[in-house]
Amino acid sequence: MRTPLVAGNWKMNGSRAMAAGLMKDVHAGLSGISGVDVVICPPFVLVPQCFQAADGASIAVGGQNLDTHEPGAFTGEISAEILIDAGCEYVIVGHSERRALYGETDELIAHKTRVAFAKGLTPIICLGETLEEREAGATGEVVTRQLVAVLDEAGPEIFPQAIIAYEPVWAIGTGRTATDGQAQDVHALVREQLAVANSAGAQSTRILYGGSVKPENAAGLFSQPDIDGGLIGGASLKAEDFLGIIRAANS
Ligand code: PGA
């Protein structure tokens, strides 16, 4: 059995006041929910505050990115060591915004995955196709290419501990979510590809869906056999919405 996981990706949003309120509300709303792993990925500077607010409760904290160098002269970057020291257990790698806006390649993302895992963080590895790629019938090919890059560099043995998030780029922040069936088809394909490399680990690996998940569509998505929770952007910025999604994963 795979324990569902719901991770909130705040992206470049939030403030100390917002974090204080949201952590308190999520903390309170989690009482009675025991069947879901909950992760919050705030901007770096809010990590210590979120970690402290979680106060040993069942909310883990993650980074949104990392640099792969050993600590040293890399102005503006954050290493796995710094993330771990601040309380992070997880880190998102390969988010489509980093691929599209910051030029991160499959190879760099694979390298980040390897370093994150080796240093003791659980990577949440994002895969997903653009609208053009979907319309060209290339979804399977793109997602497989992104996954194989990770498997080649980081090794299949990082699974089932490492986590995958399938996030169709056309569904991120657009309000346009994949249908339950569209998402399930890609999740099943990802699991099949994983099984080729690591047959034992594939069945236990959590594959999250991301892209305009909301309390209203979460239950349908999470009821699919290969969808094990969600990576949530916009809806993770409001405690009530985030909790609604967590409750959907718990049922
Ligand atoms: P969204 O973002 O939920 O706002 O679509 C998801 C993500 O980018 O991880």
Side-chain angles (χ1 to χ4, degrees):
M1 267 303 280
R2 301 183 292 265
T3 303
L5 186 146
V6 174
N9 172 13
W10 291 5
K11 310 191 180 184
M12 199 170 75
N13 295 293
S15 64
R16 288 191 300 158
M18 171 273 196
L22 195 136
M23 289 302 292
K24 185 166 158 281
D25 293 347
V26 171
H27 200 314
L30 283 179
S31 75
I33 298 180
S34 55
V36 186
D37 290 342
V38 177
V39 182
I40 288 197
C41 303
F44 290 136
V45 295
L46 297 175
V47 163
Q49 186 189 347
C50 290
F51 176 65
Q52 276 153 25
D55 193 25
S58 46
I59 306 172
V61 181
Q64 297 176 12
N65 183 29
L66 82 162
D67 183 79
T68 57
H69 293 96
E70 290 299 311
F74 300 97
T75 301
E77 296 300 321
I78 302 277
S79 64
E81 285 83 352
I82 294 172
L83 288 174
I84 291 168
D85 184 54
C88 288
E89 292 173 54
Y90 294 82
V91 65
I92 298 171
V93 290
H95 191 279
S96 66
E97 285 150 21
R98 297 219 56 91
R99 292 180 189 261
L101 304 174
Y102 301 98
E104 294 198 4
T105 60
D106 290 344
E107 289 65 35
L108 178 62
I109 290 156
H111 185 56
K112 288 188 174 193
T113 303
R114 177 165 72 71
V115 171
F117 191 83
K119 302 274 184 184
L121 290 164
T122 297
I124 301 176
I125 307 151
C126 302
L127 316 173
E129 83 287 4
T130 63
L131 186 59
E132 298 71 58
E133 290 164 338
R134 172 160 286 264
E135 285 174 347
T139 300
E141 186 189 315
V142 169
V143 168
T144 300
R145 187 200 74 220
Q146 294 169 337
L147 178 64
V148 166
V150 168
L151 290 168
D152 285 351
E153 162 81 11
E157 60 280 1
I158 67 168
F159 298 100
Q161 197 183 321
I163 293 166
I164 292 176
Y166 167 58
E167 299 202 304
V169 179
W170 47 272
I172 295 178
T174 58
R176 180 179 166 190
T177 190
T179 63
D180 301 346
Q182 281 174 323
Q184 165 58 26
D185 286 350
V186 181
H187 282 236
L189 172 83
V190 169
R191 200 176 302 285
E192 252 168 52
Q193 298 291 340
L194 261 185
V196 171
N198 178 347
S199 58
Q203 281 312 313
S204 327
T205 298
R206 290 180 288 187
I207 308 177
L208 316 181
Y209 171 79
S212 297
V213 179
K214 301 190 170 28
E216 303 80 59
N217 60 22
L221 288 159
F222 298 165
S223 67
Q224 299 300 309
D226 288 295
I227 301 184
D228 308 309
L231 180 56
I232 318 300
S236 72
L237 299 169
K238 285 199 196 127
E240 209 29 64
D241 288 352
F242 193 50
L243 283 165
I245 293 167
I246 293 167
R247 281 193 286 268
N250 193 45
S251 56

PDB file of all heavy atoms in Angstrom, residues 2 14 56 86 109 153 174 208 244:
ATOM      1  N   ARG A   2       0.500   2.214  -0.837  1.00  0.00           N
ATOM      2  CA  ARG A   2       1.239   3.476  -0.882  1.00  0.00           C
ATOM      3  C   ARG A   2       0.466   4.522  -0.068  1.00  0.00           C
ATOM      4  O   ARG A   2      -0.705   4.767  -0.329  1.00  0.00           O
ATOM      5  CB  ARG A   2       1.369   3.935  -2.340  1.00  0.00           C
ATOM      6  CG  ARG A   2       2.082   2.914  -3.214  1.00  0.00           C
ATOM      7  CD  ARG A   2       2.256   3.415  -4.633  1.00  0.00           C
ATOM      8  NE  ARG A   2       1.019   3.534  -5.376  1.00  0.00           N
ATOM      9  CZ  ARG A   2       0.530   2.592  -6.188  1.00  0.00           C
ATOM     10  NH1 ARG A   2       1.180   1.460  -6.363  1.00  0.00           N
ATOM     11  NH2 ARG A   2      -0.599   2.784  -6.824  1.00  0.00           N
ATOM     12  N   GLY A  14       4.004  34.212  -0.469  1.00  0.00           N
ATOM     13  CA  GLY A  14       3.988  34.046   0.973  1.00  0.00           C
ATOM     14  C   GLY A  14       4.718  35.164   1.686  1.00  0.00           C
ATOM     15  O   GLY A  14       5.381  36.003   1.081  1.00  0.00           O
ATOM     16  N   GLY A  56       6.930  19.249  15.137  1.00  0.00           N
ATOM     17  CA  GLY A  56       6.873  17.794  15.300  1.00  0.00           C
ATOM     18  C   GLY A  56       5.563  17.176  14.840  1.00  0.00           C
ATOM     19  O   GLY A  56       5.368  15.970  14.940  1.00  0.00           O
ATOM     20  N   ALA A  86      18.020  23.526   7.793  1.00  0.00           N
ATOM     21  CA  ALA A  86      16.859  24.378   8.085  1.00  0.00           C
ATOM     22  C   ALA A  86      15.604  23.563   8.387  1.00  0.00           C
ATOM     23  O   ALA A  86      14.563  24.125   8.728  1.00  0.00           O
ATOM     24  CB  ALA A  86      16.592  25.313   6.910  1.00  0.00           C
ATOM     25  N   ILE A 109      18.497  18.260 -14.132  1.00  0.00           N
ATOM     26  CA  ILE A 109      17.477  17.803 -13.182  1.00  0.00           C
ATOM     27  C   ILE A 109      17.843  16.419 -12.644  1.00  0.00           C
ATOM     28  O   ILE A 109      17.693  16.127 -11.450  1.00  0.00           O
ATOM     29  CB  ILE A 109      16.096  17.836 -13.862  1.00  0.00           C
ATOM     30  CG1 ILE A 109      15.695  19.306 -14.073  1.00  0.00           C
ATOM     31  CG2 ILE A 109      15.046  17.086 -13.048  1.00  0.00           C
ATOM     32  CD1 ILE A 109      14.715  19.536 -15.184  1.00  0.00           C
ATOM     33  N   GLU A 153      21.011   8.662 -14.450  1.00  0.00           N
ATOM     34  CA  GLU A 153      21.982   9.421 -13.645  1.00  0.00           C
ATOM     35  C   GLU A 153      21.897   9.067 -12.152  1.00  0.00           C
ATOM     36  O   GLU A 153      22.921   8.902 -11.493  1.00  0.00           O
ATOM     37  CB  GLU A 153      21.751  10.926 -13.863  1.00  0.00           C
ATOM     38  CG  GLU A 153      22.355  11.861 -12.828  1.00  0.00           C
ATOM     39  CD  GLU A 153      23.841  12.143 -13.043  1.00  0.00           C
ATOM     40  OE1 GLU A 153      24.377  11.787 -14.114  1.00  0.00           O
ATOM     41  OE2 GLU A 153      24.455  12.710 -12.113  1.00  0.00           O
ATOM     42  N   THR A 174      -3.441  27.049 -14.699  1.00  0.00           N
ATOM     43  CA  THR A 174      -4.332  27.486 -15.783  1.00  0.00           C
ATOM     44  C   THR A 174      -5.800  27.269 -15.450  1.00  0.00           C
ATOM     45  O   THR A 174      -6.670  27.746 -16.153  1.00  0.00           O
ATOM     46  CB  THR A 174      -4.036  26.679 -17.065  1.00  0.00           C
ATOM     47  OG1 THR A 174      -4.222  25.286 -16.772  1.00  0.00           O
ATOM     48  CG2 THR A 174      -2.626  26.911 -17.552  1.00  0.00           C
ATOM     49  N   LEU A 208       2.646  11.474  -7.813  1.00  0.00           N
ATOM     50  CA  LEU A 208       1.672  12.531  -7.519  1.00  0.00           C
ATOM     51  C   LEU A 208       1.201  13.165  -8.814  1.00  0.00           C
ATOM     52  O   LEU A 208       1.932  13.204  -9.799  1.00  0.00           O
ATOM     53  CB  LEU A 208       2.314  13.617  -6.648  1.00  0.00           C
ATOM     54  CG  LEU A 208       3.174  13.165  -5.471  1.00  0.00           C
ATOM     55  CD1 LEU A 208       3.712  14.394  -4.720  1.00  0.00           C
ATOM     56  CD2 LEU A 208       2.378  12.263  -4.536  1.00  0.00           C
ATOM     57  N   GLY A 244      -8.867  20.702   2.150  1.00  0.00           N
ATOM     58  CA  GLY A 244      -9.879  19.967   1.377  1.00  0.00           C
ATOM     59  C   GLY A 244      -9.234  18.915   0.492  1.00  0.00           C
ATOM     60  O   GLY A 244      -9.744  17.805   0.324  1.00  0.00           O
TER      61      GLY A 244
END
